[in-house]
Amino acid sequence: MMATTATGRAQTVVRRIIVFVLLLTLVVIAAIGLAGLIERIIGAGATLAGDDAGLARSLAFAVIGAPLAGVLWWWERRRLVSDVSERASLVWTLYLTVATLTALVTSASALAITVNAALDGRWQPADAAAAIVWAGIWVWHRHMRRSSATAPTRLPLLPVQLSALYGLAVAASGAISAIAALVSEALAGVAPVLADSRTWFVPVLQALVWLAVGAVVWWWHRFREGARDERGGFATVVLVVIIGASAATALFGLGTVLFVVLRLLFDADAAAEVLSPLGPAIGAALVGAIVWDYHRQVMAARSERARRAARLVTSGVALIGAASGFGVVINALLATLGPTLVDSNPRTLLLGGLSALVVGAPVWWIAWRPDRAVSETDAGDPARRVYLIVVFGASAIVALVALLVIAYRVLEVLIVGGAGGLIEHIRAPFGLLCATAVVFAYHLVIWRRDRRVAPTATTPERPALARVVLVAGGDTDLLATRLRTELGVPVTVWRTTGDGGALGDDAIPGLLESLRGVPARRALVIAEAAGARVIPLEE
Amino acid sequence: MTDAGTGAPEDASNKSLKKARWPLIALMAGVAVVVVVALIAVFARGGPVEYAEDTPEGVVQRYSQAVIDGDTQTALRYLAPDLADDCERQQPGTDDLRVTLVETTEREDSARVEVIVATVYESGPFGTNEYRSEEAFDLVRVGGQWYVDAAPWQLTICFDSGL
């Protein structure tokens, strides 16, 4: 009986995977065909010579793809409506996520490309057709996601979160490009433009188009589709990733601005060459800082654990900047020692390293707060332990690569000769190795101190509940969903074959209460009409 | 709990805090010393060591500097006379170049100067994006003076002849 159930479940999973891969393929084929046909209609005036083979392909794709996709969806929809477990399947959520994101990314970029080409005086019917068709597919999948008959019950907001992330990334890069183009134009006095095929404001407007498209996508998904109100684990991970990425962008931009300023003051190179990275750097610093600050404020309302994770990510980003800067300073120092015939100015190298160090070190200090006394809770925080292990791992990898390069060059000199070039070859890896050694030494001290302060921190007194295994008969979905949402932990359902009856609604609050007080990370719940039994499980 | 009872752990934690700080202070001091030494070394240095003009290294140094500066006339003076006369000039690139001496092999009337030529494409806060390759200059002695007979492609100023 058990074997039959397992086989049946495997069959269902394989069937779902095949159906959704097929549906996705058919949707893409139909979209390509339809876009080709629409392109012929809206671009008819611009065609100089007909491409009949292309027309045949578009027709075949549309005629085969669209009806088959429709039939397959009609069949699958009936299953989704009639079978609740179909809607709770992860494969359904993944299909919706992939299809929604593909449609959104393709239509949004095609729209921006069409508008940008129009600003440049060109009409691109192929992109306009793609924008129209994929926008339709996006609307269709949005309806699937929101319709009460077909809406997924597991991770329902996954496509929304990722769409908002895509919008933010596009808007940020558009804003950076717009500022870069503006600054470059403002610097025309120092770096005169001798010839340009475009009017100066066209690149600015084109970047603003990307900004507008990205901003609308982000705003729509964040505020209208509910990405803002999502508090689950995935939403927090996305938030931490955004904070890390925006911090990295802002700090890199700020470091480059400082580098340009230092080079203007202390370097002899031509101003136009020194100023060339200034536009993108100012854009990255400003936009990165705005995105960072906004999400820092969003993070302020989240749990202490999430805030700590964000602080650790910021600290890690700043540490990478500061350590790389220190490595480059050593590299520049060694560049002065070799037997150089013609120099490329080690000042530039040194000023670059100093910029990274000067920007990275204070941010690391503020995020990591090394001057603060470490409490037992801090020292035992799993996120902090993971951070330290990641630092050790990354240091080990960097050190290994650097050591290999250095050993290769030293042995080459010993075996082949040519000692004069040794410093030139090893100065960059040697700088990295020194920086890594400093980072490793500091964090090793922290690790050992943490272990002293909170030696038992890995096994907290009362571990938080992390997983529930529910054994129940009858309609278990309602109870499982309730446990999932109320406790915020994954629930695995094992259905019983005998009919012990379903747990009454009035018993659920009591069950939740006893689960909240359970002294283990995993708990087994046996729910029957007679009542629920909670059994804490060992690791 | 008495006053002494609350005071003792505080003292102990202060002591351990101070004890915990010294590695950070030591490492920060180390970083500061390296930065200061690097600043002094880079800014106090006038430029590369100048090799004597009658040595192969000195000729390679002057020739390379002239090519990098775009001063073709000066560069031609360091070429072997027969090559300089037939030179069909080409424009050298404008990338930043750094030439480091590896070793010199000097014979009766010829010499070979091995170098590392680093082409610097761009600089940023995380260092430079550069390509390094080991190259060699061949030199000949004519009338007691060293002349460049073959140069790496990055420092070539004549078509076909390898210069």
Side-chain angles (χ1 to χ4, degrees):
Chain A
M1 186 72 193
M2 282 296 282
T4 323
T5 319
T7 318
R9 198 162 297 159
Q11 262 178 22
T12 314
V13 171
V14 173
R15 193 255 309 150
R16 279 179 195 147
I17 292 174
I18 290 175
V19 165
F20 286 123
V21 167
L22 211 54
L23 184 56
L24 188 64
T25 316
L26 287 172
V27 166
V28 172
I29 290 173
I32 294 171
L34 285 173
L37 293 178
I38 293 179
E39 180 198 345
R40 272 159 203 282
I41 298 167
I42 57 179
T47 314
L48 296 181
D51 166 23
D52 293 337
L55 176 63
R57 195 193 55 206
S58 296
L59 271 174
F61 275 31
V63 167
I64 301 293
L68 284 183
V71 169
L72 190 58
W73 169 240
W74 169 78
W75 182 77
E76 178 57 32
R77 189 176 184 280
R78 281 175 47 211
R79 278 188 171 273
L80 286 166
V81 172
S82 60
D83 184 358
V84 186
S85 69
E86 194 78 4
R87 284 168 54 201
S89 147
L90 198 60
V91 186
W92 172 225
T93 307
L94 284 179
Y95 166 77
L96 270 184
T97 307
V98 172
T100 310
L101 273 179
T102 312
L104 177 72
V105 171
T106 317
S107 62
S109 5
L111 174 67
I113 291 170
T114 310
V115 176
N116 279 348
L119 282 173
D120 221 5
R122 283 174 290 121
W123 163 234
Q124 287 183 197
D127 291 308
I132 295 167
V133 171
W134 284 100
I137 292 171
W138 180 79
V139 170
W140 181 35
H141 282 83
R142 179 174 176 270
H143 177 71
M144 288 181 191
R145 184 169 52 76
R146 292 175 66 96
S147 156
S148 58
T150 53
T153 50
R154 198 187 280 193
L155 289 173
L157 284 179
L158 182 67
V160 177
Q161 292 285 351
L162 292 177
S163 301
L165 185 63
Y166 165 74
L168 182 65
V170 170
S173 64
I176 291 174
S177 308
I179 295 174
L182 267 180
V183 171
S184 303
E185 185 54 30
L187 291 173
V190 189
V193 180
L194 299 180
D196 197 343
S197 60
R198 299 183 299 182
T199 325
W200 71 269
F201 57 79
V202 171
V204 180
L205 285 181
Q206 288 180 334
L208 287 176
V209 168
W210 282 105
L211 167 62
V213 168
V216 167
V217 169
W218 176 74
W219 170 83
W220 177 266
H221 288 95
R222 183 163 176 78
F223 296 101
R224 300 297 301 270
E225 300 262 340
R228 183 179 53 169
D229 308 319
E230 172 77 358
R231 293 292 163 96
F234 186 72
T236 310
V237 170
V238 169
L239 193 54
V240 170
V241 167
I242 293 175
I243 288 180
S246 55
T249 310
L251 294 180
F252 182 73
L254 192 61
T256 311
V257 170
L258 183 63
F259 173 57
V260 169
V261 171
L262 288 176
R263 277 188 81 186
L264 280 178
L265 292 175
F266 300 110
D267 220 344
D269 291 325
E273 185 197 327
V274 173
L275 287 171
S276 66
L278 190 62
I282 292 180
L286 289 176
V287 175
I290 291 169
V291 175
W292 185 12
D293 190 56
Y294 175 80
H295 288 92
R296 232 167 35 88
Q297 287 174 27
V298 173
M299 190 51 112
R302 297 298 169 94
S303 70
E304 172 62 27
R305 239 177 97 191
R307 286 207 304 271
R308 226 179 283 157
R311 214 162 44 226
L312 287 173
V313 166
T314 313
S315 162
V317 165
L319 182 67
I320 291 172
S324 312
F326 180 60
V328 173
V329 169
I330 293 182
N331 181 348
L333 174 63
L334 292 180
T336 62
L337 301 179
T340 320
L341 292 175
V342 180
D343 233 346
S344 72
N345 202 351
R347 270 189 203 190
T348 313
L349 200 56
L350 178 68
L351 295 176
L354 279 181
S355 314
L357 186 59
V358 166
V359 169
V363 176
W364 172 77
W365 186 279
I366 293 166
W368 179 250
R369 284 184 269 174
D371 56 329
R372 186 186 46 142
V374 177
S375 69
E376 197 168 325
T377 333
D378 285 340
D381 177 22
R384 185 179 161 103
R385 294 259 159 117
V386 169
Y387 172 79
L388 288 174
I389 291 168
V390 169
V391 168
F392 291 143
S395 308
I397 292 168
V398 174
L400 175 69
V401 175
L403 267 177
L404 273 177
V405 176
I406 294 171
Y408 162 59
R409 290 300 177 184
V410 169
L411 288 172
E412 191 189 27
V413 165
L414 289 178
I415 297 167
V416 185
L422 182 63
I423 291 182
E424 176 68 10
H425 278 308
I426 67 163
R427 59 193 174 87
F430 187 76
L432 271 182
L433 185 65
C434 292
T436 311
V438 171
V439 167
F440 187 87
Y442 173 72
H443 289 92
L444 187 66
V445 173
I446 297 289
W447 173 265
R448 294 175 63 167
R449 190 186 64 190
D450 281 5
R451 295 288 290 257
R452 266 203 315 277
V453 174
T456 55
T458 43
T459 49
E461 278 174 22
R462 198 180 77 74
L465 187 66
R467 177 171 285 279
V468 169
V469 178
L470 172 66
V471 179
D475 182 14
T476 53
D477 292 304
L478 203 70
L479 179 58
T481 314
R482 183 102 189 257
L483 291 181
R484 232 175 250 138
T485 45
E486 295 267 346
L487 297 167
V489 297
V491 176
T492 309
V493 181
W494 290 351
R495 283 195 183 81
T496 54
T497 49
D499 193 12
L503 187 70
D505 278 354
D506 50 334
I508 295 179
L511 171 62
L512 285 169
E513 199 52 46
S514 50
L515 274 172
R516 284 198 182 99
V518 81
R521 284 174 59 76
R522 294 188 299 173
L524 175 69
V525 176
I526 300 169
E528 289 172 326
R533 202 174 142 212
V534 175
I535 305 166
L537 299 174
E538 249 187 56
E539 285 294 312
Chain B
M1 203 177 268
T2 62
D3 283 344
T6 52
E10 261 175 37
D11 282 352
S13 86
N14 274 344
K15 214 172 142 190
S16 85
L17 188 62
K18 271 181 194 154
K19 207 176 139 198
R21 271 186 192 158
W22 76 260
L24 178 65
I25 294 168
L27 288 171
M28 276 171 35
V31 170
V33 167
V34 170
V35 170
V36 170
V37 169
L39 276 171
I40 294 170
V42 171
F43 280 90
R45 203 181 64 126
V49 178
E50 199 157 304
Y51 291 82
E53 201 170 352
D54 56 355
T55 60
E57 298 93 331
V59 171
V60 167
Q61 187 173 37
R62 283 166 182 78
Y63 168 81
S64 305
Q65 190 64 60
V67 174
I68 288 166
D69 293 345
D71 184 358
T72 319
Q73 289 305 324
T74 308
L76 281 172
R77 283 204 283 126
Y78 294 101
L79 283 188
D82 53 330
L83 289 172
D85 293 343
D86 300 339
C87 180
E88 195 183 322
R89 293 234 296 270
Q90 76 167 44
Q91 196 60 38
T94 54
D95 286 323
D96 268 347
L97 292 179
R98 186 177 58 254
V99 184
T100 312
L101 179 64
V102 176
E103 66 180 343
T104 309
T105 320
E106 205 174 321
R107 299 172 212 98
E108 185 74 8
D109 287 324
S110 67
R112 187 178 177 85
V113 177
E114 286 176 41
V115 294
I116 297 168
V117 179
T119 312
V120 183
Y121 296 110
E122 60 178 355
S123 316
F126 295 129
T128 49
N129 176 12
E130 59 182 39
Y131 176 73
R132 273 195 301 271
S133 59
E134 288 198 31
E135 309 282 353
F137 283 89
D138 286 332
L139 291 94
V140 287
R141 181 143 51 187
V142 180
Q145 175 64 39
W146 287 107
Y147 291 99
V148 174
D149 196 37
W153 64 268
Q154 297 95 329
L155 294 159
T156 309
I157 54 166
C158 298
F159 278 114
D160 294 331
S161 59
L163 282 163

